[in-house]
Amino acid sequence: MPPVHFLPAFAEHGDAPARPRDAAPLLTLPGARAMPTSIRATAQVFEDPRSLALLERIRLVAPSDANVLILGETGTGKELIARHVHALSARRAEPFVAVNCGALSETLVESELFGHEKGAFTGAFTAKAGWFEAAHGGTLFLDEVGDLPPSIQVKLLRVLQEREVVRLGARRSVPVDVRVVAATNVRLQDAVAAGHFREDLFYRLHVVSLALPTLRERPGDILPLARHFIDEYRHRLGHGPVRLDAGAERRLLAHDWPGNIRELENVIHHGLLICRHGVLLADDLQLSSLGLQRRPAGGAPPEPAPLQALETALSGLFQQQGDQLYERIEETVVRAAFEFCHRNQVQAARLLGISRNILRARLIKHGDIAAAR
């Protein structure tokens, strides 16, 4: 896989349609239109309050050289976020190299990452630089880093500590200047506890963490993404303007999206293949039932929906009949929203649907911020 350079953040790539100035920020994967099928999330928008809070956090941490660990389910767009971190850093003019650790065979992973010398193993007819050297001066994105075998984890830790690599079969080290952005769709803490992932490597990678919400957790992004994919695929298919029927919008918003952005893109692609008269109807949407069938490990029943869980919790509080119950509930809701938005007052107020002044007054009243701030 050759080094991949990222285009400027939020730029229109290739022949993408022009976007209105007031449109939600959009990230797209370079060369997305050349991909015959969607094997990765190829677009990311930031319109939902939770997404906007994430975008602000990225803007804060991207300029540093700190290693970043991106956490999120498959299909949430982790590579797009990694590319945006790179685009907002001082390394933006240098290579961005993306490596899928889960796709590397265990016998070749060391050679792929760190390189090899001629004759290092059968078939090594010439010396070859690894991905660390290819990313020198720029950013190396290690997707599915939890899939690396233990022996490679040890060597990766050494590279991060010493900032140099030793090619397979070599006796001398090669200095490298690389920022590592890693991603995983599993809880690395659980992998550490199970002995499958090194704790010291986890802390080396986990200097900054970016948690990507699932598509079902940021419903405000669903329709903007759907409209973006409609524009993309109608262009590829040679269709004229296509609009979403109101029933189709409701169905998209009600779906669980177990495959996240990747699933949404494929649903829109299929829908445009069969829709007629320039209208995408609810019946044109081929939605999976995986979200209904998924069960936690061990066969336990699924967790209750968030509102159902909230009602259950409130019933328990009502039974206690404590003093100032409404004040306690309000304080909990406001504080949770404030922390959820990384203590950003504007985004927390937008999330709750109240003004920033009202939110600020509640935060001061509950002692979460000082009145002088």
Side-chain angles (χ1 to χ4, degrees):
M1 177 176 17
V4 181
H5 295 264
F6 183 50
L7 298 177
F10 300 139
E12 300 296 349
H13 304 311
D15 53 357
R19 288 171 57 77
R21 290 184 176 273
D22 59 348
L26 168 72
L27 296 178
T28 59
L29 202 62
R33 283 193 174 170
M35 299 176 186
T37 58
S38 177
I39 59 173
R40 296 176 285 180
T42 60
Q44 182 83 267
V45 299
F46 301 87
E47 187 157 315
D48 189 272
R50 190 163 183 179
S51 297
L52 287 169
L54 172 65
L55 183 60
E56 180 60 27
R57 181 171 172 82
I58 294 170
R59 287 172 176 160
L60 292 174
V61 304
S64 76
D65 258 352
N67 294 332
V68 178
L69 182 62
I70 302 176
L71 312 169
E73 286 187 7
T74 182
T76 49
K78 296 186 287 294
E79 182 177 337
L80 286 165
I81 297 301
R83 288 175 179 273
H84 193 46
V85 169
H86 174 73
L88 295 181
S89 74
R91 299 174 179 265
R92 65 180 68 89
E94 301 301 327
F96 176 91
V97 177
V99 179
N100 186 341
C101 299
L104 298 176
S105 68
E106 191 165 346
T107 56
L108 294 178
V109 61
E110 181 177 359
S111 170
E112 290 293 321
L113 288 177
F114 311 125
H116 65 259
E117 295 294 336
K118 179 180 179 180
F121 52 86
T122 303
F125 300 115
T126 60
K128 177 186 173 184
W131 293 122
F132 268 93
E133 290 181 68
H136 181 71
T139 302
L140 179 63
F141 174 54
L142 298 177
D143 197 9
E144 305 307 342
V145 70
D147 291 342
L148 287 175
S151 61
I152 301 302
Q153 292 178 29
V154 175
K155 295 181 179 181
L156 175 58
L157 177 64
R158 182 184 180 280
V159 172
L160 296 178
Q161 291 174 334
E162 307 297 332
R163 301 181 70 82
E164 60 184 24
V165 296
V166 178
R167 292 184 182 181
L168 190 62
R171 295 188 176 184
R172 292 186 301 175
S173 60
V174 179
V176 289
D177 174 22
V178 172
R179 182 188 195 177
V180 171
V181 178
T184 178
N185 62 0
V186 299
R187 280 180 51 86
L188 284 187
Q189 296 94 324
D190 294 341
V192 169
H196 301 315
F197 199 83
R198 292 183 62 94
E199 183 176 6
D200 44 8
L201 177 57
F202 169 76
Y203 287 117
R204 275 285 175 180
L205 296 172
H206 196 263
V207 178
V208 172
S209 66
L210 297 173
L212 271 61
T214 62
L215 194 54
R216 59 187 169 275
E217 293 172 325
R218 47 188 179 102
D221 291 339
I222 293 175
L223 295 184
L225 273 170
R227 295 186 182 106
H228 166 75
F229 290 133
I230 287 174
D231 283 340
E232 284 292 304
Y233 281 97
R234 76 172 181 84
H235 179 95
R236 296 192 201 184
L237 297 170
H239 291 180
V242 177
R243 66 177 179 85
L244 269 174
D245 174 74
E249 291 185 353
R250 288 192 294 271
R251 194 170 182 207
L252 290 174
L253 291 171
H255 187 54
D256 192 49
W257 298 113
N260 294 292
I261 298 172
R262 183 186 303 164
E263 180 188 1
L264 174 60
E265 177 174 354
N266 292 335
V267 165
I268 296 298
H269 185 188
H270 174 269
L272 289 182
L273 293 174
I274 62 175
C275 76
R276 304 178 65 184
H277 309 302
V279 181
L280 193 58
L281 302 174
D283 289 342
D284 298 326
L285 303 175
Q286 183 175 286
L287 303 179
S288 75
S289 59
L290 289 177
L292 300 175
Q293 297 170 353
R294 287 185 305 179
R295 294 289 185 271
E303 294 184 3
L307 285 178
Q308 181 183 346
L310 177 60
E311 290 180 5
T312 302
L314 289 173
S315 297
L317 288 174
F318 296 153
Q319 291 173 10
Q320 295 178 12
Q321 297 182 352
D323 295 334
Q324 298 181 319
L325 185 57
Y326 181 83
E327 291 288 331
R328 290 161 53 199
I329 294 173
E330 179 192 74
E331 178 181 357
T332 301
V333 170
V334 170
R335 180 177 294 125
F338 188 44
E339 295 298 334
F340 180 82
C341 293
H342 307 292
R343 303 183 69 82
N344 183 305
Q345 294 180 30
V346 174
Q347 300 302 337
R350 186 175 299 166
L351 180 65
L352 293 174
I354 60 178
S355 72
R356 180 174 179 267
N357 288 338
I358 292 176
L359 176 79
R360 178 178 170 79
R362 298 294 190 274
L363 292 171
I364 293 173
K365 176 182 177 181
H366 301 313
D368 294 300
I369 63 173
R373 287 184 62 185

